[in-house]
């Protein structure tokens, strides 16, 4: 059904999915009076490219922007309580050192003096192996309590730099901005509401039921195109259940932003270095994007020249994805 070629995946699978999503975005955001759709990195790069190509020629289409953020960068910038420090720690962490965890998740590298004091108080050193599964952090909370002042100072510095970045993009000055992403709980959207102290709305491919916490807390729109506030324990589409596959199809060659800091009066991003394993599929990603954009161009020409009232089908797009996800080979050719 789907030829084994990244370009064909882009044309036959990703293209229909993103075009139908783009038209849904156009209709929803236009009706809601959104100033600008901010596509979140990194999957947002291909999503924005298809949206821009599809809405060309459509009247009053909300403008778009690529916003370089991550859960890591927004969570630290929004942090204000010890409980939020613990929430960051509870994310799954495969075996590595405590020092590495502090560096990657909180952006801090304690001094030798601080490490000696921490070892006396809690038994933790920079080389203590840490593994976090099912949100169980054990006695790690005691060590994080001792480091709370350091983490809070780093958070304040990152928040100031984040605000400067958001101001430089025009995001901070918009009356009615919205973010766009794959899904699922609206975490980054919630962080932006807190950082900016104003409503920031969100549109997604799929949202999970926990996203309702963001809508209730900030009184904002948070909508899913192919699934809205899905309860994974009751019923969920393959698009939701196989979200890892979807994210890989839409992945970008960009490095992931870790945080912003202020240098010479400007917000400068610091990125997690890309591993060799991440760099190898770059050509595949390029071919997927090229195929998706070619599909978008072809369908747009049909809309412009033959069927001006044409609306791409979300049902057809998800049916194609279901077929792809159901019939995958167990071996890579």
């Amino acid at each position: 059904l789907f030829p084994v070629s990244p370009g064909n995946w882009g044309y036959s699978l990703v293209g229909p999915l993103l075009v139908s999503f783009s038209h849904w975005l156009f209709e929803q955001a236009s009706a809601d009076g959104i100033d600008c759709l901010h596509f979140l990195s990194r999957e947002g790069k291909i999503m924005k490219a298809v949206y821009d190509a599809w809405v060309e020629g459509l009247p009053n289409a909300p403008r778009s922007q690529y916003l370089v953020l991550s859960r890591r960068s927004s969570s630290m910038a929004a942090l204000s309580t010890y409980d939020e420090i613990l929430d960051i720690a509870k994310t799954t962490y495969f075996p590595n050192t405590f020092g590495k965890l502090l560096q990657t998740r909180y952006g801090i590298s304690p001094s030798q003096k601080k490490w000696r004091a921490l070892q006396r108080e809690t038994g933790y050193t920079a080389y203590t192996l840490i593994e976090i599964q099912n949100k169980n952090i054990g006695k790690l909370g005691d060590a994080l309590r001792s480091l709370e002042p350091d983490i809070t100072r780093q958070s304040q510095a990152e928040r100031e730099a984040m605000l400067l970045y958001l101001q430089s993009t025009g995001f901070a000055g918009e009356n009615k901005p919205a973010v766009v992403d794959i899904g699922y709980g609206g975490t980054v959207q919630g962080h932006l509401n807190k950082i900016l102290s104003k409503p920031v709305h969100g549109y997604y491919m799929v949202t999970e039921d926990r996203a309702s916490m963001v809508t209730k807390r900030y009184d904002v729109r948070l909508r899913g195109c192919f699934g809205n506030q899905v309860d994974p324990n009751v019923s969920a589409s393959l698009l939701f259940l196989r979200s890892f596959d979807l994210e890989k199809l839409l992945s970008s060659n960009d490095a992931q932003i870790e945080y912003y800091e202020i240098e010479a009066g400007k917000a400068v991003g610091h990125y997690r270095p890309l591993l060799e394993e991440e760099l190898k599929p770059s050509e595949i990603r390029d071919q997927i994007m090229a195929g998706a954009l070619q599909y978008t161009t072809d369908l747009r020409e049909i809309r412009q020249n033959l069927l001006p009232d044409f609306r791409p089908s979300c049902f057809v797009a998800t049916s194609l994805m279901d077929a792809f996800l159901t019939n995958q080979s167990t071996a890579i050719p």
Side-chain angles (χ1 to χ4, degrees), residues 174-195:
E174 293 171 1
N175 291 323
K176 208 169 186 181
V179 295
V180 180
D181 201 3
I182 292 180
Y184 304 91
T187 303
V188 173
Q189 181 186 346
H191 293 158
L192 287 170
N193 274 276
K194 184 176 180 181
I195 293 166

Side-chain angles (χ1 to χ4, degrees), residues 114-248:
K114 183 66 178 179
W115 275 121
R116 287 193 293 270
L118 198 64
Q119 184 175 12
R120 288 194 301 270
E121 295 169 11
T122 66
Y124 283 93
T125 73
Y127 305 103
T128 301
L129 283 177
I130 301 292
E131 181 176 10
I132 299 169
Q133 300 288 343
N134 302 316
K135 298 186 177 182
N136 181 13
I137 61 173
K139 297 181 179 180
L140 193 62
D142 295 336
L144 293 174
R145 174 66 85 177
S146 297
L147 293 166
E148 183 179 3
D150 304 80
I151 295 172
T152 300
R153 280 192 296 272
Q154 179 66 20
S155 170
Q156 291 170 346
E158 291 190 25
R159 184 182 301 117
E160 290 177 9
M162 174 73 75
L163 282 168
L164 187 59
Y165 168 69
L166 294 173
Q167 289 166 2
S168 72
T169 64
F171 189 106
E174 293 171 1
N175 291 323
K176 208 169 186 181
V179 295
V180 180
D181 201 3
I182 292 180
Y184 304 91
T187 303
V188 173
Q189 181 186 346
H191 293 158
L192 287 170
N193 274 276
K194 184 176 180 181
I195 293 166
L196 294 170
S197 299
K198 72 173 187 180
V200 175
H201 306 283
Y203 302 97
Y204 304 88
M205 287 189 169
V206 183
T207 63
E208 196 174 344
D209 53 0
R210 58 190 171 92
S212 62
M213 294 186 292
V214 175
T215 61
K216 292 174 182 177
R217 182 173 183 179
Y218 298 107
D219 189 25
V220 291
R221 294 180 178 86
L222 198 163
R223 297 173 179 166
C225 175
F226 304 117
N228 193 49
Q229 296 195 17
V230 172
D231 182 347
N233 297 314
V234 177
S235 62
S237 66
L238 276 176
L239 206 62
F240 178 82
L241 296 174
R242 301 285 293 272
S243 58
F244 178 81
D245 299 88
L246 176 61
E247 290 168 11
K248 295 307 106 182

Side-chain angles (χ1 to χ4, degrees), residues 1 8 22 33 48 100 120 160 178 198 220 243 273 281 313 322:
L1 180 60
N8 284 326
S22 294
K48 179 186 183 300
K100 187 67 174 179
R120 288 194 301 270
E160 290 177 9
K198 72 173 187 180
V220 291
S243 58
S313 170
D322 286 351

Side-chain angles (χ1 to χ4, degrees), residues 10-31:
Y11 194 96
S12 305
L13 187 68
V14 176
L17 188 74
L18 291 186
V19 167
S20 62
F21 177 63
S22 294
H23 197 81
W24 176 85
L25 267 181
F26 162 71
E27 292 183 331
Q28 293 288 323
S30 297

Side-chain angles (χ1 to χ4, degrees), residues 34-38 63 65 169-178 198-199:
I34 296 299
D35 296 325
C36 181
L37 293 168
H38 297 267
R63 60 189 179 86
Q65 188 168 42
T169 64
F171 189 106
E174 293 171 1
N175 291 323
K176 208 169 186 181
K198 72 173 187 180

